[in-house]
Amino acid sequence: MRIPDGVRKTVNVVLCLAAVVAIGWSGREIWVVWNNHRQIDAACGGLVPAGRVLALSEAGGTITHRRLDDDSFDPDTGIPHDCEIFSTEAGERAGTDTGISWFFTGAMGLLPTDQPLIADGPMKGPLGIRDRTTYPPQPLGGDIAGRVTASSVTVQLPCEEGTAEDESVRALWARAELMPRRGSKVSGHDRDILAQTAVETANNLADRLGCADRLPDVPDDVPALTAGPVPAARAEGTCAWYGKTGLADRSPYPDEVVESRTDSLVWDESCGLVLDFGRANTVYMSEADEHDGLSSPDTPGEWFISFHTYAGPVAENVGLTSTDDGEVSEPAAPGKAGRSATDPIWWASSVCDGRPQIHTMTIGRPSYARLVVSRMEAVFRAYVDDVTTRRHCTDVVFPGHDTFRADWGES
């Protein structure tokens, strides 16, 4: 059938207009993608893989970044300490007035750092204040020194042959973190991308510094975090040693644990022991008459014993207590052992695979610590023995017997 000339011209005009619109639309999309990559590269010094960040669930729409000041970069290396990324997609989901929202942070740095890593304090236990259920960090696995939290993945990488401003570099770290909206959880999709982003950032930083090693690819399907606490009898990870002691069935010992999988590559491995509210109240009722200073527990997990093992460069700068600016924290020195002068915090040390390790124990709250301190030497030794056996450590140094007494904080 022959199409009239007038109709043919109209169709051609429509098609041409459609083509122009399509070209304009695709050009706009290309510009948005290019600009989104540029924003991330500018914010993160070209070290964080922009394509990975843009694959996160809230990375849609237009990307912007918080403009960094001079203090946001290491003055010697020019490496950004962190970078903060915003999107209109996150803004729409959060319903912000500005139409944008902060959804991603990339961070990186060198080890060891000047700032000490501070051990748990006696007023902050393994359980959250508002919610009894907690999700302790887990190792990333896959022969990667990695730590997965509810919203982030952090990795470490040894750095042989690397230099920064003519100074040798021993190790580096990188973290990729999602800023989830209140009440939301990181999906498996986003968790996998965070792990890939952290590893690629570390490898990019290693390239820039001239490090000899690189991290391998991330394992498929990074495992989800497991909820705690669980009864001590069910412990099978970093607190399995405690379940085997049988102490959880006896007062005044904790009856539940907050644990992770074991992994000798993790630089911060923890085990938390907590008293369920029922157990804590039973202990209080039976002991209050003989211990005038024993305070009644108000929340589950308020009474606890927290253990950590810090490894490698991190272990060279561990502080026992937090301090005000300008003050020096009590050090937990490798090759030595002891107790804090001000808090119920003890430390032991060892050497594992040629790396220093610091093992800490914190008892909270102070009134519970005074109640159980005379029993804690054996518990701390059992914990350290478990870790050092698993990690094939040597040169183990324990705090002296006379440190397990309730005289901390006395002048």
Side-chain angles (χ1 to χ4, degrees), residues 138-214:
Q138 296 286 345
L140 177 58
D143 293 326
I144 298 173
R147 199 163 183 258
V148 183
T149 74
S151 61
S152 70
V153 177
T154 306
V155 298
Q156 286 189 6
L157 174 63
C159 185
E160 296 181 10
E161 302 177 9
T163 59
E165 279 296 298
D166 298 327
E167 296 291 333
S168 61
V169 177
R170 294 176 50 200
L172 58 87
W173 63 273
R175 180 172 61 252
E177 183 171 10
L178 201 63
M179 318 303 290
R181 287 168 285 118
R182 185 180 296 277
S184 65
K185 293 184 178 180
V186 175
S187 67
H189 165 81
D190 282 342
R191 190 166 48 247
D192 289 344
I193 293 175
L194 289 176
Q196 294 160 357
T197 302
V199 165
E200 290 185 27
T201 299
N203 286 340
N204 290 340
L205 183 54
D207 284 338
R208 185 165 298 184
L209 298 174
C211 307
D213 296 330
R214 299 293 182 275

Side-chain angles (χ1 to χ4, degrees), residues 138-296:
Q138 296 286 345
L140 177 58
D143 293 326
I144 298 173
R147 199 163 183 258
V148 183
T149 74
S151 61
S152 70
V153 177
T154 306
V155 298
Q156 286 189 6
L157 174 63
C159 185
E160 296 181 10
E161 302 177 9
T163 59
E165 279 296 298
D166 298 327
E167 296 291 333
S168 61
V169 177
R170 294 176 50 200
L172 58 87
W173 63 273
R175 180 172 61 252
E177 183 171 10
L178 201 63
M179 318 303 290
R181 287 168 285 118
R182 185 180 296 277
S184 65
K185 293 184 178 180
V186 175
S187 67
H189 165 81
D190 282 342
R191 190 166 48 247
D192 289 344
I193 293 175
L194 289 176
Q196 294 160 357
T197 302
V199 165
E200 290 185 27
T201 299
N203 286 340
N204 290 340
L205 183 54
D207 284 338
R208 185 165 298 184
L209 298 174
C211 307
D213 296 330
R214 299 293 182 275
L215 294 175
D217 291 339
V218 174
D220 294 334
D221 300 324
V222 177
L225 303 183
T226 55
V230 299
R234 288 170 45 195
E236 55 184 17
T238 54
C239 294
W241 63 274
Y242 183 68
K244 296 173 183 177
T245 66
L247 294 176
D249 297 328
R250 297 162 49 188
S251 175
Y253 296 99
D255 55 334
E256 297 183 324
V257 303
V258 178
E259 64 174 356
S260 65
R261 302 185 306 276
T262 60
D263 188 331
S264 61
L265 295 177
V266 176
W267 60 90
D268 181 356
E269 185 181 79
S270 63
C271 164
L273 313 180
V274 298
L275 282 78
D276 178 72
F277 200 37
R279 167 65 66 87
N281 271 311
T282 298
V283 172
Y284 173 75
M285 296 298 293
S286 64
E287 301 284 351
D289 290 342
E290 297 183 16
H291 297 83
D292 294 337
L294 188 62
S295 301
S296 173

